[in-house]
Amino acid sequence: MIMPLLSVRNLTVQFRVDSGWVTAVDDVSLDVGEGDCVGIVGESGSGKSVTALSILQLHQRATTRIPSGTITYQGQDLLRERGSTMRRIRGSEIAMIFQDPMSSLNPVLTIADQISETLRQHQGLTGVAARKRVVELLGLVRIPDATRRADDYPHRLSGGMRQRVMIAMAIACKPRLLIADEPTTALDVTIQAQILELLRDLRKELKMSVMLISHDLGVIAEFAQSVIVMYAGRVVEEAPVAQLFRRPVHPYTVGLIAAVPKLDSDAPRLATIAGRIPGPQEIIVGCRFSPRCALVQPRCRDEPPLMQPVSDGQSARCPPRILVLGERHG
Amino acid sequence: MVDQPIVEVRDLKKTFAVKHAGGTSTLHALSGVNFDIMRGETLGLVGESGSGKTTAGRILVGLIPASSGTVSLFGHDIAGANGKAQLAAVRSRLQFVFQDPYASLNPRMRIGSAIAEPIDIAGTHSRKDRNDRVAELLELVGLPRNSVERYPHEFSGGQRQRIVIARALALNPDFVVCDEPVSALDVSMQAQIVNLLLDLQERLGLSYLFIAHDLAVVRAVSTRVAVMYAGSIVEFAPKAKIYSDPQHPYSRALLDAVPRADPDFVRHPVVAGEVPSLLDPPPGCSFHPRCAYAMDRCRVEAPSLRESGPGRHVACHLFSA
Amino acid sequence: MTDTGLGSLTTVHAIAAPRGYGAWRRLLRHRSFVIGSSIILLLTLAAVLAPLISPVDPSAMRVRFRFRPPSQAFWFGTDMFGRDVFTRVLYGARVSLFVGFAVCVVSGLCSAILGVIAAQFRRLDGAIMRLMDALMSFPAILLALGIAAALGPRVSSVIIALTVAYIPAGVRIVRAAALTVREMDFVQAAQVSGASSLRIVLRHILPNCLSPLLVHLTFIFAYAMLAEAALSFLGVGIQPPIASWGNIIAEGRDYATEAWWVMLFPGIAISLAALSLNLLGDALGDMLDPRLKGGE
């Protein structure tokens, strides 16, 4: 069996609050293989961004702890690595882009300055060589008139162009895994489509694996090959993209897909999921979706359900529903 | 009387002076916008950032003054010479729902006072009537009555948006401008708020101007849809037509760009380029630099919004005979 | 599976339990806050209860007890006139804390009013802020020195002088906060409902500008106490025989080598008060800064 590029096992992440520690990510496991494109979808408080930040150890160390779990990148346990090793891995092995490209760019440095900084740090490129590579990278992310744009300051660029610059910085050292955390959420629809297309092309050209985090099922459906659905800190379902949308298993996944307004439907009302997302400090014994679930059974409230395989590549954290589906098929 | 529009906007223009190192330049936020809103209908206003949709909504409730044109609400022109007095006459019939439920409630004001604010400002109710009305409004938007004494931070985004809606409805308005009311919410909360707005419209006979960038949400709520681009309406049509048969190339590009929650969907090529600068808009049609069908005429002459079918209008030279 | 009907209208959702006195609980767990406020409380109590704690008259001169070092009878020793330094430090606390508190309150009120006016009524902004710039261009202590000298050496003139000196910083803080708040959606919502400028200022803008001002004022309290001591030390502040920490030190200066205790104890009192107020200010700053509130 081939080892996946990145493997997260039973990861639990907790944050310090006034009254102790709250669990933001609870027993999350996921794999990203070479060349894979994994989507993580969830609403606020699902723990999707926290999971991503923990992979690169970008969380606030003073107020965060990881009581259990392993994060293995190419056989190396990242949770044991500190300082210089992590700095090398960030950027040159695993790169990350964020939702807000403005706050990720330093306003007093030109585009060329910021990208060359990365090149100098990770590849030791300086002077003319660095400049040449900067222009090449800006071309790669399809910034028109790259030679001139390189000397612009971030405020001169539109949101879409800034995100392109962020992508250029991220791919500067040819990382093997790109983590994109809501990369298009702050952008307009037509620009979002352009950025997604760019990411798709770059993934093929550079043979990168991509982990895309989004709240938008549409973005996930278009971009990812396999999808992980998170709710209130836990993975509730995992499936290849087509299967997830055609045959969702977990009631939350079903509800979420139904709640997305459709461009081609004139239903008089949108489908809703009753109730609201629990806060991180709310204690829910058993399945965290049970207070909102229409199919809830007594045992759902008693003990947290386990992930169970449903069919090839698909698994869900909902034993009652899997049982029903199994009987229907069997 | 039934078919009398409650909102009539004619040739609405709005410019902002933008100061920069080299002096002052003029930003054309709205360059001649026309639309009507009928009683009980929802006009969906869609567009990307810089399209002018939010500016239009803010002018309609008197938050910012128009530069020129007519904005007639219930027959009162609030953009005319006597605008202030005209606005005061219709103020209680207008309301606004904001995008960010975290910024649109005063963090130091209890929910009860927040909801009662329009009543308190108008000074029309006795103490008891006011409190009864607050309780009634809470029930109307599906929040428990004991919310009155609480503060905004005790509520989630979706619940806050319910509070904002309750506040907007306090004085029984006829017309509510909803500026991206669900775009800051999670998907599962979004659907609840959209349905609430639809239910309230049915019950109370409200008319909405629904401003959004999300075409799918607009489809769920609107009667008619206006697509805006760079300060102008480029297409205006009944909802079904816009989605099944968009005419303006920009409307098509916008629809094509929406990501679908359907892995089988085959996407059209993505439209290239970005929204033009409103400080220095291109000559002719403002969409021509990105348009696949641009002709010589598009580069020099701006198309006007013309009738292109029953109830539909488009501003594109492809459709002018 | 999902509720597609009018469910959203009729469902009344469970709401998380109200946090109640969460802010208080957080403050009480903040070490700087607890230490700072305890010391200030103790000093205030000592000042208020001075006649009970030490029944001696602070101005009573007993020449035969001149320059007694600290002992069982005179905890902090005596000064050149045989006055009990412990008693004088207690009574000095009354003056110093009063001056600090008064400057804090008066400059706080003026800053809040001027800052909000500058932010809300843009036509007055230029005039107010240029005046503040002019005041700020003098070092605060020199400005206070001039004003106190002009008004004559009295407690009231010290308060006026220090208030004037510290207003500009407060106005800037309130104005900056008010400019941010007035752009927020809830202010616009009030405008849509036809709220008057006065209502917007009083109900919306002012309450949301008070946190940064409050933090600032705890530091002003400390500065004002230190400045009072400095002014009194320089002879334009509180005049003997009324005791203030500053003039006790000033009087003890000439005998510093033989009677070190005359200067030491009021000096410790000043440092302790200033330190505790700074701790308090830091704690309030932490607590009122929304970015540090935890959560997501």
Side-chain angles (χ1 to χ4, degrees):
Chain A
M1 198 185 126
I2 315 158
M3 211 168 48
L5 189 64
L6 176 82
S7 171
V8 175
R9 283 286 159 270
N10 309 99
L11 179 71
T12 298
V13 183
Q14 297 179 321
F15 290 134
R16 199 213 303 274
V17 293
D18 292 331
S19 48
W21 295 88
V22 295
T23 304
V25 168
D26 189 1
D27 192 28
V28 165
S29 298
L30 59 91
D31 287 330
V32 183
E34 201 86 53
D36 272 4
C37 186
V38 176
I40 303 184
V41 68
E43 298 181 287
S44 50
S46 63
K48 56 190 191 303
S49 291
V50 179
T51 305
L53 290 176
S54 327
I55 293 171
L56 286 177
Q57 293 181 34
L58 290 172
H59 46 253
Q60 285 285 323
R61 206 166 280 256
T63 53
T64 314
R65 68 177 186 192
I66 299 181
S68 68
T70 55
I71 299 174
T72 318
Y73 174 76
Q74 291 194 308
Q76 193 175 7
D77 186 357
L78 294 190
L79 287 179
R80 285 168 191 238
E81 297 301 341
R82 293 280 179 270
S84 61
T85 318
M86 268 326 285
R87 271 198 296 279
R88 188 187 56 77
I89 287 172
R90 281 182 214 139
S92 58
E93 294 284 332
I94 307 176
M96 189 156 177
I97 52 174
F98 300 91
Q99 175 174 341
D100 181 4
M102 194 60 206
S103 63
S104 319
L105 288 169
N106 184 341
V108 299
L109 293 179
T110 63
I111 302 308
D113 289 342
Q114 322 211 14
I115 303 180
S116 354
E117 179 60 24
T118 314
L119 294 173
R120 191 183 58 77
Q121 243 174 34
H122 290 289
Q123 299 184 329
L125 280 182
T126 49
V128 185
R131 172 79 191 184
K132 191 165 156 265
R133 177 78 177 134
V134 166
V135 174
E136 192 181 301
L137 282 165
L138 292 182
L140 206 59
V141 295
R142 326 249 160 85
I143 291 182
D145 204 2
T147 336
R148 204 168 51 83
R149 279 299 189 190
D151 296 318
D152 271 343
Y153 288 91
H155 71 94
R156 302 262 303 162
L157 303 180
S158 67
M161 286 299 159
R162 279 182 216 137
Q163 195 56 290
R164 285 172 197 267
V165 171
M166 289 312 298
I167 295 172
M169 282 170 75
I171 61 169
C173 306
K174 303 194 182 86
R176 299 182 63 186
L177 172 63
L178 177 69
I179 302 177
D181 187 0
E182 303 271 11
T184 59
T185 306
L187 304 175
D188 277 322
V189 189
T190 56
I191 308 302
Q192 163 168 286
Q194 294 171 1
I195 296 290
L196 287 178
E197 190 175 61
L198 173 67
L199 284 173
R200 206 175 293 132
D201 293 349
L202 287 175
R203 190 171 79 80
K204 273 184 217 134
E205 283 167 37
L206 304 174
K207 299 184 180 62
M208 288 188 294
S209 306
V210 175
M211 185 165 145
L212 177 78
I213 294 155
S214 180
H215 70 285
D216 187 333
L217 279 168
V219 169
I220 294 285
E222 295 216 345
F223 196 82
Q225 294 165 334
S226 62
V227 186
I228 288 161
V229 184
M230 289 186 72
Y231 181 78
R234 287 188 191 146
V235 173
V236 295
E237 184 158 3
E238 187 179 353
V241 68
Q243 209 153 323
L244 187 89
F245 284 90
R246 264 185 228 123
R247 216 186 55 167
V249 170
H250 197 283
Y252 173 67
T253 317
V254 176
L256 195 63
I257 293 173
V260 178
K262 307 291 182 298
L263 261 185
D264 45 9
S265 138
D266 266 323
R269 290 291 184 274
L270 297 178
T272 66
I273 305 175
R276 54 184 192 85
I277 300 162
Q281 305 202 44
E282 281 172 60
I283 293 161
I284 298 173
V285 187
C287 173
R288 303 214 76 193
F289 188 62
S290 61
R292 304 176 72 184
C293 184
L295 303 175
V296 67
Q297 294 181 8
R299 67 163 159 156
C300 303
R301 299 204 172 96
D302 295 339
E303 53 181 296
L306 297 173
M307 275 306 258
Q308 285 179 3
V310 181
S311 59
D312 196 25
Q314 185 168 22
S315 48
R317 205 184 277 275
C318 186
R321 178 128 165 94
I322 292 171
L323 194 68
V324 171
L325 286 175
E327 278 164 8
R328 207 178 289 162
H329 287 280
Chain B
M1 196 59 210
V2 178
D3 285 315
Q4 188 71 24
I6 59 168
V7 177
E8 283 177 273
V9 175
R10 291 290 169 272
D11 201 27
L12 175 62
K13 288 186 179 151
K14 178 67 189 175
T15 55
F16 293 101
V18 180
K19 282 184 195 154
H20 49 79
T24 314
S25 24
T26 311
L27 185 144
H28 301 268
L30 291 175
S31 30
V33 167
N34 298 286
F35 60 82
D36 294 337
I37 299 172
M38 300 294 172
R39 187 174 298 279
E41 87 161 342
T42 300
L43 175 66
L45 206 52
V46 289
E48 298 180 281
S49 45
S51 64
K53 57 188 194 303
T54 293
T55 306
R58 284 174 186 246
I59 290 174
L60 250 58
V61 291
L63 271 175
I64 44 177
S67 298
S68 71
T70 318
V71 177
S72 169
L73 305 164
F74 313 103
H76 296 259
D77 179 12
I78 63 161
N82 200 12
K84 274 227 166 103
Q86 299 288 325
L87 178 63
V90 293
R91 180 146 261 160
S92 66
R93 305 175 72 181
L94 309 175
Q95 264 300 343
F96 200 92
V97 172
F98 295 84
Q99 169 175 6
D100 181 357
Y102 290 86
S104 49
L105 289 171
N106 183 341
R108 303 200 182 272
M109 211 184 223
R110 289 177 199 275
I111 300 312
S113 313
I115 293 179
E117 183 160 51
I119 299 174
D120 292 343
I121 292 168
T124 46
H125 291 49
S126 72
R127 187 91 201 150
K128 185 180 177 303
D129 286 354
R130 167 197 186 269
N131 294 343
D132 289 350
R133 179 70 182 144
V134 170
E136 192 185 349
L137 287 162
L138 281 170
E139 197 165 317
L140 194 64
V141 299
L143 285 171
R145 277 177 178 231
N146 64 7
S147 310
V148 170
E149 292 295 317
R150 301 214 173 136
Y151 283 98
H153 74 255
E154 297 171 36
F155 294 86
S156 69
Q159 291 169 327
R160 283 176 196 228
Q161 206 57 307
R162 287 173 192 265
I163 295 165
V164 171
I165 292 169
R167 175 178 66 191
L169 298 178
L171 287 177
N172 263 319
D174 295 300
F175 173 55
V176 182
V177 175
C178 304
D179 186 5
E180 303 265 15
V182 297
S183 59
L185 304 177
D186 278 312
V187 178
S188 67
M189 297 293 113
Q190 221 174 42
Q192 289 183 6
I193 297 297
V194 164
N195 287 355
L196 174 66
L197 286 170
L198 290 168
D199 292 339
L200 291 170
Q201 178 168 45
E202 242 171 55
R203 276 204 206 178
L204 307 171
L206 297 168
S207 311
Y208 293 131
L209 177 68
F210 193 97
I211 300 166
H213 70 280
D214 185 331
L215 285 142
V217 171
V218 167
R219 171 155 204 165
V221 298
S222 304
T223 322
R224 291 183 297 156
V225 176
V227 180
M228 290 192 73
Y229 186 76
S232 311
I233 292 180
V234 296
E235 186 164 0
F236 193 109
K239 165 171 72 170
K241 293 287 178 205
I242 284 265
Y243 290 89
S244 60
D245 172 30
Q247 290 181 329
H248 197 283
Y250 176 66
S251 310
R252 261 184 251 175
L254 200 57
L255 276 169
D256 284 342
V258 179
R260 315 286 169 119
D262 173 6
D264 300 326
F265 178 75
V266 183
R267 162 169 305 289
H268 292 280
V270 177
V271 63
E274 300 198 345
V275 178
S277 158
L278 295 172
L279 287 167
D280 180 24
C285 171
S286 52
F287 188 61
H288 86 253
R290 303 175 73 184
C291 184
Y293 309 94
M295 311 173 282
D296 287 343
R297 190 180 170 193
C298 304
R299 294 181 188 100
V300 286
E301 184 192 339
S304 57
L305 196 64
R306 280 167 220 244
E307 186 146 22
S308 58
R312 49 187 320 188
H313 293 75
V314 65
C316 179
H317 291 310
L318 291 173
F319 292 86
S320 53
Chain C
M1 181 114 340
T2 52
D3 113 42
T4 43
L6 294 165
S8 56
L9 251 191
T10 46
T11 327
V12 174
H13 308 288
I15 291 172
R19 276 191 238 164
Y21 297 99
W24 263 116
R25 251 186 295 140
R26 271 211 307 277
L27 271 180
L28 290 179
R29 214 176 300 139
H30 200 294
R31 205 174 299 149
S32 314
F33 178 83
V34 175
I35 296 173
S37 55
S38 317
I39 296 175
I40 285 297
L41 211 65
L42 276 176
L43 284 172
T44 313
L45 270 177
V48 171
L49 302 177
L52 296 178
I53 298 170
S54 171
V56 191
D57 180 348
S59 312
M61 301 188 202
R62 285 159 295 179
V63 181
R64 60 199 170 95
F65 292 129
R66 292 180 76 212
F67 295 131
R68 291 290 170 86
S71 66
Q72 201 87 51
F74 307 103
W75 290 358
F76 290 178
T78 63
D79 66 3
M80 60 286 190
F81 300 120
R83 294 176 298 192
D84 180 34
V85 175
F86 176 67
T87 312
R88 286 184 70 73
V89 169
L90 280 183
Y91 280 83
R94 292 182 149 192
V95 174
S96 294
L97 291 174
F98 175 70
V99 169
F101 186 71
V103 170
C104 196
V105 169
V106 180
S107 76
L109 277 175
C110 295
S111 307
I113 294 168
L114 285 173
V116 166
I117 290 177
Q120 182 67 10
F121 304 98
R122 307 298 292 154
R123 240 174 280 165
L124 297 173
D125 186 33
I128 292 176
M129 292 324 287
R130 290 307 78 74
L131 181 67
M132 295 302 128
D133 288 347
L135 285 177
M136 262 189 151
S137 60
F138 294 102
I141 188 78
L142 279 187
L143 186 67
L145 195 65
I147 297 173
L151 294 177
R154 272 190 304 273
V155 175
S156 58
S157 46
V158 170
I159 294 173
I160 294 172
L162 293 176
T163 302
V164 171
Y166 292 132
I167 281 179
V171 171
R172 280 178 175 274
I173 287 173
V174 174
R175 177 178 172 271
L179 283 176
T180 317
V181 174
R182 74 193 286 266
E183 296 303 324
M184 295 195 72
D185 287 349
F186 60 82
V187 173
Q188 308 219 336
Q191 281 168 352
V192 170
S193 298
S196 64
S197 283
L198 189 67
R199 185 187 167 89
I200 286 176
V201 164
L202 292 181
R203 304 273 336 234
H204 294 293
I205 297 185
L206 205 52
N208 286 293
C209 298
L210 292 183
S211 318
L213 182 63
L214 198 65
V215 174
H216 173 67
L217 288 181
T218 56
F219 296 115
I220 288 298
F221 198 139
Y223 292 148
M225 269 179 22
L226 293 173
E228 178 275 321
L231 290 179
S232 300
F233 182 83
L234 294 172
V236 291
I238 316 298
Q239 295 301 301
I242 303 171
S244 96
W245 291 341
N247 68 24
I248 302 173
I249 296 177
E251 287 177 345
R253 171 182 43 170
D254 296 338
Y255 314 99
T257 43
E258 57 262 51
W260 46 268
W261 54 87
V262 182
M263 287 178 83
L264 178 71
F265 291 105
I268 290 177
I270 292 175
S271 313
L272 204 61
L275 175 73
S276 57
L277 282 165
N278 278 302
L279 286 175
L280 201 64
D282 283 340
L284 282 177
D286 283 358
M287 288 300 134
L288 297 172
D289 185 344
R291 282 167 301 176
L292 297 175
K293 266 189 187 160
E296 302 229 4

